[in-house]
Amino acid sequence: MAPAIADFWAKLPLELIERILDLLIDEYDQDPAYQWTTLRHVTGRQMRRIERHFWHQWVPKLTITLYSGPRCQIDFRLSNSTSNDGLQTSRARFQTLGVGLSNSLNKGDIRTLWDQYNFENRVAHLRLGEGLLNHGMTGGYIVNDTDIVDLKVEDDGLGILFNWRRTFDALLREEVMMRKIQTEMALDRKKQLVAERRWPPFPRIQRLALVKHFVLDIQMAKRVAVQQHRLKRHDPSGQAKLGGLTHESQHLHKQSLPSPLLESEPRRACCIICSRHTGPSIFEVVSCEESVVLSLDDWQQLSKDELLDLYAEAYGWNCYRCLGQENNIEWQQISKNDWLTVCGSSTEKLHTVRRWNPWF
């Protein structure tokens, strides 16, 4: 903090300082990334306040999902038996009921899955604020395959311990980094379209153009950039492999990959989903769960009808991208119209939690 600002704060009554700090937290209650990466560093007192707020507010809103193949998802959440010791020790215990989620999965299987978790094999993803962030809008929460720091797995695999402070730090710093990359890429794209005289004159059409660019370019490119940054920090030599860059998600991240190794087990002949043994990469999860509409400036000011149209537009481009229809604009419009006419009210479409589905 600058000396002049520090002197100003020192002259204020303690009660007023406390009130100002409380209001700052409340003002950004929908943005834990800003709370953690910016507000937390205002003062030492604010850091302690923010961390206490996170322990009570955001740690219980964190879900860690372990994947067993393409169809089974096992959620771990803060244990009910967790005491406030985690605020002092930085250790949080998450647990799952585990058994019963799949007839073919037992405790030993879950433990084995955790044993496979490492930098090159991210079989678990983090979700923060599911159904809560961005006022509960569809695809409005934070999801990433950030490292679960200092992970310790209990013998039965149904409980885990990890450093929640360092895990949140990694998760939210990468979130802020992606926002900055996204802003820069969107601005560059707009400048390019203006220079080519292809930037639409009307705000509503501009937003549709940005949604297309977000889906087809920015959404995945920003995650590739963050993954590469993560790799440099983890292994400057570049020998390690990024677990998120899989062959199944290559149509999304568009990075060149070495030829896949021959699998020890034969694949089934019925379909690509039944024959798949691996869980989703973060790119596949994001393509299904994250809404690019909420990346638009001032989306909160838009009408429900325009929001529905933008969500449908994004869905159409996602189908165009995922189904290999890159040169078929008609398919994008067909998919968009399908989304608009499917069952469900507008409220359900705009406020729902949608998890990755291999049949999506």
Side-chain angles (χ1 to χ4, degrees), residues 113-177:
L113 289 171
W114 277 121
D115 289 342
Q116 296 170 0
Y117 177 84
N118 57 50
F119 182 84
E120 295 188 353
N121 187 23
R122 292 296 168 87
V123 293
H125 295 160
L126 290 77
R127 291 175 174 85
L128 180 63
E130 217 172 356
L132 176 67
L133 287 177
N134 281 305
H135 308 285
M137 292 288 289
T138 299
Y141 51 90
I142 295 171
V143 57
N144 205 346
D145 61 350
T146 318
D147 189 27
I148 306 170
V149 182
D150 294 337
L151 175 66
K152 304 294 181 185
V153 182
E154 295 177 356
D155 290 341
D156 61 4
L158 302 184
I160 59 174
L161 291 157
F162 62 96
N163 187 310
W164 69 266
R165 278 187 173 89
R166 292 179 59 194
T167 299
F168 267 87
D169 197 61
L171 176 67
L172 298 178
R173 287 189 181 280
E174 286 196 354
E175 175 68 17
V176 170
M177 187 184 304

Side-chain angles (χ1 to χ4, degrees), residues 245-348:
L245 301 181
T246 64
H247 285 87
E248 289 86 352
S249 61
Q250 194 168 14
H251 65 290
L252 298 171
H253 60 69
K254 300 179 181 177
Q255 303 299 297
S256 59
L257 296 173
S259 299
L261 299 174
L262 293 176
E263 296 184 357
S264 58
E265 297 181 27
R267 287 179 172 243
R268 297 182 183 179
C270 56
C271 73
I272 190 171
I273 297 170
C274 291
S275 65
R276 179 174 176 171
H277 303 303
T278 59
S281 77
I282 188 61
F283 294 93
E284 293 172 285
V285 168
V286 164
S287 71
C288 178
E289 298 186 23
E290 183 182 76
S291 172
V292 301
V293 175
L294 306 180
S295 299
L296 296 169
D297 292 336
D298 300 322
W299 64 265
Q300 301 92 332
Q301 311 303 320
L302 303 179
S303 68
K304 181 182 289 187
D305 287 343
E306 184 174 356
L307 283 172
L308 282 168
D309 189 57
L310 289 168
Y311 267 86
E313 183 78 5
Y315 177 84
W317 287 118
N318 202 29
C319 292
Y320 170 97
R321 169 183 64 185
C322 292
L323 297 176
Q325 299 282 350
E326 289 83 357
N327 298 313
N328 188 353
I329 299 297
E330 183 181 358
W331 177 253
Q332 188 272 339
Q333 285 297 310
I334 291 172
S335 301
K336 175 178 179 176
N337 291 333
D338 285 346
W339 189 89
L340 287 170
T341 55
V342 294
C343 297
S345 67
S346 58
T347 300
E348 290 171 335

